[in-house]
Structures are given as C-alpha cells and as structure tokens.
Amino acid sequence: MSHEPLDTSFQVRHRDYFIEGRMFAILFAEAAGSNAVTDYNTDLSLLTRVKHGELVRAQVRRFIVVKRKREFCYAVPVFTYGNRATTKPGVRPDEHAIAYSYGYNPCLVPGEIELQKYPIAIVNNSEKPLSVASRIYFGIHHPIQYNVKAKDLGYVHPDFMATFSGYWKMESGHAPEQGLEVTYDPTNHDTN
C-alpha cells in the first residue's frame, strides 16, 4: 500500500483558530457508500478498505467554519466538483455560492447557470487564486474536531461574513426573520 504524507503546513491548531469564516483544509474520511465501486465520478485510488471490510474515501477537503462549539466546529465544504462547479450532474445549484479570491472577479464555468446566492470573497493565503470552479456547498455541514491537522487557507472577507452566515442559517433551517436584502447589499461590496 503506498501513501503520501501530508505536507508540513497541515498542523494541529489551537481551538481559537477555528473562528467563523476561517477556510482550511483537512484530511477527510467518510464511508464510501454502496455505489462506491460503480460510481464513475469516484477515483478508486482514494478508497481504502478498513475494519469490517468496508470502503472509506479519504482525501484532502476544504471547509469554512460556520459555527464554533466547545470541542468542535461545524463547517461547510468547498468543492470544485472536478472543475465542473454546479454543472456536475446531481448538484443542486441553489444550495451553492461561488467562492472566489478577494481582488478577483467571481466567474461561472461554461454551461453553468446563474446562481441564486451571491458570490463570497475569500482572502486566501496563497499567491495562487482559488479555482474559478470553487463552490461553497451550504446544503450540508460537517462537525470538525479541533484536534485534526489543518492547513490554513484564509478566511471569508469581513464584508461578506453576514451574507455567508445568512446562507448557512437559511440552508440549515436557522434563517433569521429578515429578507436577504437586509443581509446583503451588493452596492456595499468591493469585487475588484
């Protein structure tokens, strides 16, 4: 069995690191499900057989913190869906927002329909901007324990935090009793 170690930028961080809006990457493992071997979108090299003979998919995955708890945080994933963004079959575009590097313009990929949620600017720690296919998936959130090795990727630009938090609350059933126009004012965001 071959393996590739995580690079040294993955470190166990203090719980105070995991603030709302923090973007990070971790080694994420999840049950592969019953269709793992026949799923043509799955890279079989990412599957590992574990105790009880079950398959697990392990890969580095990006997340953004949406809520802090005492021993863990909830975080929403950021996917490119193989650079297809929301054009990938089965993806629900209405549960996604474009994640783009602050200072750049948000873009749709060819064939992608306009998303209902406004784009979210990320101040990223890399000289390389986020992939134009990066999409924040608000339709699911995962508990992430504070004792995992995390790579710092940046954070949601402060001007976009209310919009980001509002989208998560809306999709998780905790929506405030106010209209979207209160949460987001498109004339108040610098997207250059």
Side-chain angles (χ1 to χ4, degrees):
M1 176 189 303
S2 67
H3 67 280
E4 181 180 323
L6 288 174
D7 71 57
T8 57
S9 61
F10 285 84
Q11 301 173 12
V12 175
R13 300 181 185 270
H14 190 272
R15 61 176 290 171
D16 293 342
Y17 166 83
F18 295 92
I19 59 172
E20 283 91 355
R22 172 76 65 202
M23 186 173 177
F24 60 93
I26 63 169
L27 179 61
F28 188 79
E30 63 184 339
S34 62
N35 67 340
V37 178
T38 58
D39 179 359
Y40 300 106
N41 294 319
T42 299
D43 180 351
L44 295 177
S45 69
L46 299 176
L47 297 177
T48 303
R49 194 163 301 279
V50 295
K51 189 175 180 180
H52 308 293
E54 295 298 314
L55 292 172
V56 171
R57 179 181 294 112
Q59 64 190 116
V60 172
R61 191 174 284 179
R62 300 176 300 166
F63 291 94
I64 303 175
V65 176
V66 290
K67 184 167 181 63
R68 289 173 46 104
K69 302 291 273 181
R70 187 170 55 87
E71 296 179 6
F72 66 94
C73 64
Y74 287 114
V76 291
V78 178
F79 294 116
T80 64
Y81 299 111
N83 289 319
R84 292 177 286 182
T86 62
T87 65
K88 179 181 176 185
V91 171
R92 295 186 57 169
D94 60 319
E95 296 177 343
H96 292 77
I98 293 172
Y100 68 101
S101 293
Y102 185 73
Y104 290 80
N105 290 319
C107 298
L108 297 172
V109 300
E112 189 174 27
I113 63 168
E114 192 71 32
L115 301 181
Q116 295 174 3
K117 291 176 173 53
Y118 294 108
I120 304 293
I122 306 296
V123 178
N124 60 322
N125 295 340
S126 170
E127 293 177 14
K128 183 179 171 187
L130 294 174
S131 165
V132 296
S134 293
R135 299 295 177 264
I136 303 169
Y137 179 29
F138 291 100
I140 191 170
H141 61 260
H142 296 279
I144 307 292
Q145 293 186 322
Y146 297 139
N147 63 352
V148 299
K149 289 183 178 181
K151 179 177 183 172
D152 187 26
L153 299 178
Y155 55 91
V156 173
H157 189 280
D159 290 348
F160 293 79
M161 272 304 297
T163 304
F164 172 78
S165 296
Y167 288 154
W168 177 71
K169 290 174 182 173
M170 181 174 63
E171 291 295 338
S172 66
H174 298 96
E177 296 298 319
Q178 66 184 22
L180 183 59
E181 68 279 358
V182 176
T183 304
Y184 179 80
D185 176 0
T187 63
N188 192 28
H189 295 318
D190 177 16
T191 57
N192 294 329

